Amino acid sequence: MASLQPRFLTLPLIFIIIIISSSGHANAVPRVTFPLESPGRPFTLFTLPDVYNTTTLLLSDDEETLFVGARDAVLSLNISKAGSLQLSKKIDWSPTENDLRDCTMKGTTETDCPNFVRVLQVLNSTHMFACGTFAFSPRCSYISSEQFSLAASPSGKTEEGRGRCPYNPYHKNTAITVGGELYTATVADYRGNRPVISRHLSEGDHVDMKLDDTAGWLEDPTFISSTYIPSEEKVYFFFSEMGREYDFIDKFTVSRVAQVCTSDVGGQRTLQRRWTTFTKAQLLCQARDELPYNVLQDITTLRPSEGASEDDTLFYGIFSSQWSVNSGRSAVCVFSLRAIKAVFAGNYKVLNRDTLKWSSRMQEKIANPGECGLHNASDNALRFVKENFLADKSVSPANQGLTLVSPDQRYSNIAAQRVKGAHGREYTVLYLLTESGYLHKAVLLEGRAHIIEEIQVLRQPQRVKNLLLSVSKGAVLVGSSEGVASVPVSNCSHYWSCGECVLARDPFCAWDPTRRVCARVSSIKDQAGQDVDGGNVSKVCNTFTTLVPRGRGSIVTGAPPRVLVSVFLKEVVRLRCVLSSQLAQLRWERPGGELSPDIYMQEDRGNLSFLATPTTLGTYMCQAVENGFTQTLVVYEVRQKDDFTLRPTSKSPTRIPEPGRETTTRPKIETTPNAIEKKPTMEKTQKPTLSATVSPVGPNATHAPADGSTNMPQLETRTSYLKELVAVSVLLVICICALLLVAAYSLRKSYRSRTVPRLPSLHRDPGTTEGGTHQEREALRGNSPQLDKHNGQKSPNTPSNGVSNGSNGHLPNIPI
């Protein structure tokens, strides 16, 4: 279905198309994701404590200053240094207490009553012009460029803002200045029911202009953007509105482009002070055999290359769909100025003023609608123009299809630029801001788009945002309620090897073989390694010395890290490997054997789990395959623990500590003595995370969670307990010897005590003690002299045997 024409489409056909519609194009997925405050993609955020809703942005002609329209304030920021946002001056511009009280009395919430600056334009070399909602009573003011302060108008009166700025801060509008005149598209009443495209601040023969009040010119529009084409002397407006030419559905939204000539001063009698050159046409963002993306969200102008015709000007727009089949998705379509001019030069539909119905019947052309100079035409020609301002044909995309489709993101803002690659070829780079606060950078290739990266720049989704590109400063400027963010267009140093640099396919970046780093193309003097179109790593990097990754300031070995995992049998082993690229495929391999699904389980996040058995011990390699290039990320050696190694008593799983996290327990995974000890210090998403977890099998066994929160390898040398074991063994031997000596001494003492005779306790002298007489005690000690057995005197001829006399006067017959 090339277009939606009312004479061919019926309501049943719409339902048939919805049912059979399917996507015939590949959805673009960001290759690398950088969360908020990621070290791999830093950016600058400017905030002030008392300034909010910094959503209106304007660059000076020299791109040295950024003007910001905020709530109750206008700011001037110095951006002369790349990546910096410094406050130069601030203008306070807020309603009075009476204005705020009147606003709330109208039923408006207090949060919507401040002055939200929605128009900020440079008029000339001395003055700027600003307009704000001003408590639902729009007002405008001149700003002196030199002093950067509010200035009085030439008439000395307060500048009325109606028709120049919306009443409601949530209503969209657009404004542009040409030759000191202000061209605006907004609503001119409190409720937003009177849309108007007008010209203000005209002088001399030029008069202020606006659309005729006749119904049919605009149908509940939402204004998006405007641009000026000098060669055409026309201002083009882009918006969405209700498509009254389609009568098969009550409310069908269409996207439009409208034009007016800057020389238009209105008719002499018919259309006095009204546009005589206003015409509009439909922008059709639609793929073949699919429903169109019919709601315009944002559009940007990409000027032609130097020396090219201005007809080559391109307009890149973001479109969403009102059809449920495309709900939650966004598409990018590109339209050329040449195609828009061709549609405006063709036939026009006829509006029946009685029924407000459009028809495509052929009739004699009295005038060419949209042609400059119609203000001098006759009344008959002007009446013809008044009824023939909708082009009969739609403007089709330049490539006859969708440039890019986001599968799960809704884009809100867009910016575009041309970038010259390493080999002199030009590429178009798009910057797309999502409603969830991520900035996508995409490069347009032959017939498709490649999203290089996505960067989170906003914490919360925003309703009113602005996106601006500073080519000279190499920064994307984002205005939101959280502040103004300045995001560099590239960060080539994030890619740590030649393979990663080529696979990124970033036109800004190329591999420098001399310094062996990924750097900006403009900084490489010798041959630069880059393949944006194909991303062929082998073709580019094989011409250089080697494909080695890069550390901080030095070249490290290109071999993948090896990690030793010591396990007990019957334990669950979980090996982790997380990819940094979302376009790569993760693959586990084992030398000399296949990974049977009956034994091994590979989880969605890439973790490999299996039970430790004699047959599953060995080497495992985690590999990443992207665009035909395979690289080994990590090698695991799974071995059985020695018998003396104690089992872990903790039920919690163990893993290698992740970068940026501290652990209070000693890791249970060990590496070989010659394992890599140096810890890489690269950013978060530079290399995949490697980790292993060992869990006991049993009723109380727990499995390690598949934590993929980091993408950087962190290898640590595990502590060896051999010295401690030897020390404990020596101490144990010493203790055993000491115990044996004590036991031997005790046995000897016990045996000796049994060989000593005991003295009877009968017939003791009252003067004796319990241990016997003195002589008896001396005899027991072996010092008592031998007594004569008859008279108690010592016998000189009898040797002492160390025992005393018995109670009967005879020695006991005890052998010694």
Side-chain angles (χ1 to χ4, degrees), residues 644-645 721-731:
F644 56 78
T645 305
Y721 295 97
L722 182 60
K723 294 182 179 179
E724 288 81 352
L725 182 62
V726 172
V728 170
S729 301
V730 172
L731 290 175

Side-chain angles (χ1 to χ4, degrees), residues 334-411:
V334 55
F335 306 91
S336 66
L337 178 61
R338 182 178 288 104
I340 293 175
K341 290 172 59 178
V343 170
F344 281 139
N347 296 326
Y348 283 78
K349 298 182 186 296
V350 180
L351 177 63
N352 188 328
R353 292 293 177 181
D354 297 332
T355 62
L356 294 181
K357 298 293 184 180
W358 292 94
S359 63
S360 300
R361 60 183 175 86
M362 299 296 297
Q363 63 178 356
E364 182 183 357
K365 259 192 177 182
I366 302 176
N368 294 322
E371 184 181 12
C372 297
L374 287 177
H375 54 277
N376 295 322
S378 62
D379 293 343
N380 192 25
L382 294 179
R383 281 192 295 268
F384 176 84
V385 170
K386 191 175 179 179
E387 296 179 358
N388 297 264
F389 54 86
L390 177 60
D392 186 46
K393 292 184 178 181
S394 301
V395 183
S396 299
N399 52 3
Q400 301 301 318
L402 306 181
T403 301
L404 182 150
V405 175
S406 174
D408 55 357
Q409 293 283 353
R410 290 178 63 93
Y411 293 132

Side-chain angles (χ1 to χ4, degrees), residues 2 9 12 80 155 216 235 330 369 385 397 424 449 505 581 597 627 631 662 683 697 710:
L9 281 180
S80 57
S155 62
V235 176
S330 293
V385 170
R505 306 170 82 167
S581 172
N627 201 28
Q631 56 181 338
E662 297 182 359
E683 286 82 2
V697 176
T710 177

Side-chain angles (χ1 to χ4, degrees), residues 576-590:
R576 189 177 65 177
C577 182
V578 180
L579 301 175
S580 61
S581 172
Q582 299 183 78
L583 302 182
Q585 298 293 327
L586 189 145
R587 183 175 67 190
W588 286 94
E589 285 194 356
R590 185 182 182 188

Side-chain angles (χ1 to χ4, degrees), residues 58 118-123 129 164 173-186 197-201 224-230 234-238 260 262 275 301 303 315:
L58 175 67
R118 300 299 302 276
V119 175
L120 191 60
Q121 292 291 319
V122 175
L123 286 180
F129 195 75
R164 307 176 185 182
N173 70 298
T174 179
I176 189 174
T177 54
V178 179
E181 296 176 319
L182 180 68
Y183 293 79
T184 64
T186 184
I197 295 177
S198 54
R199 183 175 68 198
H200 307 273
L201 308 180
I224 302 299
S225 179
S226 55
T227 186
Y228 173 63
I229 305 298
K234 292 181 180 179
V235 176
Y236 290 88
F237 296 91
F238 299 91
V260 294
T262 57
W275 295 111
T301 304
R303 303 291 177 178
F315 304 97

Side-chain angles (χ1 to χ4, degrees), residues 133-402:
T133 58
F134 215 84
F136 272 71
S137 180
R139 294 184 188 177
C140 299
S141 177
Y142 289 88
I143 298 177
S144 174
S145 301
E146 184 176 354
Q147 289 84 19
F148 196 71
S149 60
L150 297 179
S153 63
S155 62
K157 300 179 181 179
T158 302
E159 287 288 333
E160 178 67 32
R162 185 176 63 176
R164 307 176 185 182
C165 177
Y167 287 72
N168 194 323
Y170 299 107
H171 285 166
K172 292 187 176 182
N173 70 298
T174 179
I176 189 174
T177 54
V178 179
E181 296 176 319
L182 180 68
Y183 293 79
T184 64
T186 184
V187 290
D189 66 330
Y190 180 85
R191 298 185 179 276
N193 296 328
R194 290 183 56 194
V196 61
I197 295 177
S198 54
R199 183 175 68 198
H200 307 273
L201 308 180
S202 300
E203 296 179 354
D205 296 337
H206 271 211
V207 294
D208 290 351
M209 300 285 294
K210 66 178 182 179
L211 276 179
D212 189 63
D213 296 331
T214 307
W217 291 87
L218 295 172
E219 300 288 351
D220 193 17
T222 300
F223 297 108
I224 302 299
S225 179
S226 55
T227 186
Y228 173 63
I229 305 298
S231 62
E232 297 293 313
E233 294 185 351
K234 292 181 180 179
V235 176
Y236 290 88
F237 296 91
F238 299 91
F239 56 95
S240 295
E241 67 172 356
M242 305 309 299
R244 298 299 182 187
E245 66 270 29
Y246 299 102
D247 56 1
F248 57 87
I249 195 169
D250 291 338
K251 292 183 178 181
F252 177 61
T253 305
V254 296
S255 299
R256 304 285 198 199
V257 55
Q259 65 174 7
V260 294
C261 293
T262 57
S263 59
D264 196 347
V265 294
Q268 297 178 358
R269 289 176 296 274
T270 303
L271 295 178
Q272 289 184 5
R273 292 181 176 266
R274 302 294 188 267
W275 295 111
T276 62
T277 57
F278 174 82
T279 55
K280 64 181 181 180
Q282 180 182 356
L283 297 174
L284 188 60
C285 182
Q286 180 183 15
R288 184 180 181 86
D289 298 330
E290 289 189 12
L291 290 173
Y293 290 83
N294 55 320
V295 183
L296 180 64
Q297 299 294 334
D298 193 24
I299 199 164
T300 186
T301 304
L302 183 62
R303 303 291 177 178
S305 303
E306 185 177 356
S309 171
E310 201 159 20
D311 288 349
D312 295 331
T313 302
L314 299 177
F315 304 97
Y316 287 90
I318 297 173
F319 295 82
S320 61
S321 177
Q322 72 179 91
W323 314 108
S324 59
V325 68
N326 291 328
S327 178
R329 306 170 67 187
S330 293
V332 176
C333 283
V334 55
F335 306 91
S336 66
L337 178 61
R338 182 178 288 104
I340 293 175
K341 290 172 59 178
V343 170
F344 281 139
N347 296 326
Y348 283 78
K349 298 182 186 296
V350 180
L351 177 63
N352 188 328
R353 292 293 177 181
D354 297 332
T355 62
L356 294 181
K357 298 293 184 180
W358 292 94
S359 63
S360 300
R361 60 183 175 86
M362 299 296 297
Q363 63 178 356
E364 182 183 357
K365 259 192 177 182
I366 302 176
N368 294 322
E371 184 181 12
C372 297
L374 287 177
H375 54 277
N376 295 322
S378 62
D379 293 343
N380 192 25
L382 294 179
R383 281 192 295 268
F384 176 84
V385 170
K386 191 175 179 179
E387 296 179 358
N388 297 264
F389 54 86
L390 177 60
D392 186 46
K393 292 184 178 181
S394 301
V395 183
S396 299
N399 52 3
Q400 301 301 318
L402 306 181

Side-chain angles (χ1 to χ4, degrees), residues 55 57 297-298 318 330 332 406 409-415 430-442 453-468 476-481 483 485 487:
T55 56
L57 305 180
Q297 299 294 334
D298 193 24
I318 297 173
S330 293
V332 176
S406 174
Q409 293 283 353
R410 290 178 63 93
Y411 293 132
S412 60
N413 299 82
I414 185 172
L430 303 181
Y431 304 95
L432 303 154
L433 189 63
T434 70
E435 291 184 352
S436 58
Y438 281 83
L439 181 67
H440 287 191
K441 184 176 78 171
E453 58 190 354
E454 66 172 355
I455 310 155
Q456 185 179 3
V457 294
L458 301 177
R459 297 182 182 273
Q460 300 294 335
Q462 307 286 317
R463 287 191 62 183
V464 180
K465 298 179 290 291
N466 201 349
L467 192 65
L468 203 59
V476 181
L477 305 170
V478 182
S480 68
S481 62
V487 184

